[in-house]
Amino acid sequence: MWGEPVEYLFGDSTGSSRAGVYEAFVRAQAVNFNELMESLGVFGSFGSDWFAVTAWLADIFIYTPVWFFQSHPWFMLLFGADVLFVLAMASGILCRMSSTQVCANRSTPLSSAACFVSKRWAWYLLTPLMPAMLIAVVGAGLALAGLVFFNIPGVDVVGALGYGLWLILGFVVAVVALLLLLALFLMPPALSVEGSDGFDATARSFNYILFRPWQFAVYLFSSIVYLAVVSVLVGTIAALSIDAANYFVGLGVLGDADQTEAANWIVSRWLELVSAIVIAILFSTFCCLQTQVYVLMRRSADGTPMDQCEGGEQADLWADKPATQQTGDVDTPKVEG
């Protein structure tokens, strides 16, 4: 299935017109990412075209996945599950490492962060899905109500009389969907900082947004600006590196020399590796920013100092505490007289 040839709908810039589904999806997203970088003024002339940026973001996260899902639903379901798991684990590890740096001003080894996340992998995976499950359940209930009350003459009057209830349920769906969209990136930091379950992380993330909306908006806007600056900087360095390598290597290539297909394929993989490194840097920066936003929101809403966050592994994980020494296993009372 994954190696089945698929026709491209993305133009000649994606390479060959036929390829396996996995390769087609990766190439299409690579093209979208390169166009996004050019829209930001990274790979081309400086000066961002924000309408084009929005369009390419929509292509990356909406249109391209939807097109592939319509053509190859089983592949996208399996591939999407794998990507969701990898993103959940990677974001958890990065947020854990960032949280120890923010709260305790010390570095956490990758192995320790991975061990911490592996013990809670189910929560990192399921926490963002729980509000989505609630939306799905309420939506299924509304669909069932439409099936029962609005398909039989006469009964539809009863459904119309109770339409206020359907509107309330629609309001619940809208609010939960909006909160999920805003709080989605606060959930991995909540799990990493608190070391608790997904219900606590969801409640904290929703509450901070509901009770500190303007403060969250300021932090979110600042994070977006910072991430945009990092994107331009990292993308410019990557583009200059590629241009420098192509220019100086091209000086030694004879004009009539033809490269083999294998050589072109290997060079393409190296260029894709550069794009992957850029994406990894931006993803790491984004996780660190969201961890800092969560810690600041937690301190503002709960009044909890940074160094009093609980990691869930050991008592002195976040703040250095004086070691206590016990003289015995059992305290024996003194007998006077």
Side-chain angles (χ1 to χ4, degrees):
M1 179 180 64
W2 289 14
E4 178 185 356
V6 58
E7 292 287 349
Y8 275 121
L9 295 182
F10 303 100
D12 295 334
S13 59
T14 57
S16 175
S17 60
R18 292 178 63 83
V21 182
Y22 174 76
E23 185 178 0
F25 182 79
V26 172
R27 286 186 180 180
Q29 292 292 56
V31 170
N32 292 335
F33 179 76
N34 289 335
E35 294 293 341
L36 174 63
M37 291 294 101
E38 290 183 359
S39 300
L40 286 170
V42 175
F43 292 162
S45 60
F46 289 93
S48 300
D49 184 357
W50 294 109
F51 292 101
V53 169
T54 304
W56 287 113
L57 285 173
D59 283 340
I60 292 174
F61 294 105
I62 299 176
Y63 297 120
T64 300
V66 167
W67 184 88
F68 275 90
F69 180 79
Q70 293 174 347
S71 302
H72 302 274
W74 287 110
F75 163 77
M76 288 304 298
L77 287 176
L78 294 175
F79 183 75
D82 292 339
V83 170
L84 180 62
F85 180 80
V86 172
L87 289 179
M89 297 299 101
S91 61
I93 293 173
L94 291 172
C95 290
R96 177 62 177 177
M97 298 174 67
S98 177
S99 60
T100 56
Q101 184 67 40
V102 172
C103 294
N105 195 23
R106 72 183 186 203
S107 300
T108 296
L110 177 62
S111 58
S112 299
C115 181
F116 177 89
V117 173
S118 64
K119 295 177 181 178
R120 299 164 176 82
W121 68 269
W123 287 124
Y124 280 97
L125 185 63
L126 295 177
T127 299
L129 298 179
M130 291 191 298
M133 293 177 185
L134 176 61
I135 294 174
V137 170
V138 176
L142 290 174
L144 181 61
L147 178 64
V148 173
F149 292 103
F150 292 97
N151 284 301
I152 302 176
V155 181
D156 58 348
V157 177
V158 178
L161 292 175
Y163 204 79
L165 176 60
W166 317 140
L167 291 176
I168 293 175
L169 294 178
F171 174 77
V172 171
V173 170
V175 171
V176 173
L178 182 60
L179 287 175
L180 176 60
L181 179 63
L182 295 175
L184 180 63
F185 305 108
L186 292 181
M187 294 177 178
L191 292 170
S192 298
V193 170
E194 309 300 339
S196 57
D197 54 40
F199 298 100
D200 179 74
T202 302
R204 287 178 178 273
S205 301
F206 283 8
N207 287 336
Y208 295 162
I209 294 176
L210 285 174
F211 294 104
R212 295 290 192 278
W214 292 111
Q215 186 175 3
F216 176 75
V218 171
Y219 290 153
L220 182 61
F221 177 77
S222 302
S223 300
I224 293 174
V225 172
Y226 185 90
L227 186 63
V229 173
V230 173
S231 301
V232 172
L233 178 62
V234 174
T236 301
I237 293 175
L240 291 176
S241 300
I242 294 174
D243 291 341
N246 290 339
Y247 175 77
F248 287 106
V249 171
L251 292 178
V253 178
L254 300 179
D256 56 350
D258 294 330
Q259 284 73 41
T260 62
E261 183 177 353
N264 291 329
W265 184 88
I266 294 174
V267 171
S268 299
R269 300 293 81 78
W270 280 110
L271 296 179
E272 290 177 1
L273 178 61
V274 173
S275 298
I277 293 174
V278 172
I279 295 174
I281 293 175
L282 297 180
F283 181 72
S284 176
T285 304
F286 180 78
C287 291
C288 294
L289 289 173
Q290 291 308 301
T291 302
Q292 296 178 22
V293 170
Y294 174 81
V295 172
L296 291 173
M297 293 293 296
R298 186 181 192 273
R299 184 180 64 176
S300 175
D302 298 341
T304 305
M306 288 186 177
D307 59 353
Q308 291 186 10
C309 298
E310 177 60 42
E313 284 185 327
Q314 55 191 18
D316 60 346
L317 179 62
W318 296 97
D320 295 332
K321 299 180 180 180
T324 58
Q325 182 177 3
Q326 297 180 352
T327 57
D329 296 334
V330 180
D331 294 334
T332 57
K334 294 182 180 180
V335 179
E336 297 181 357

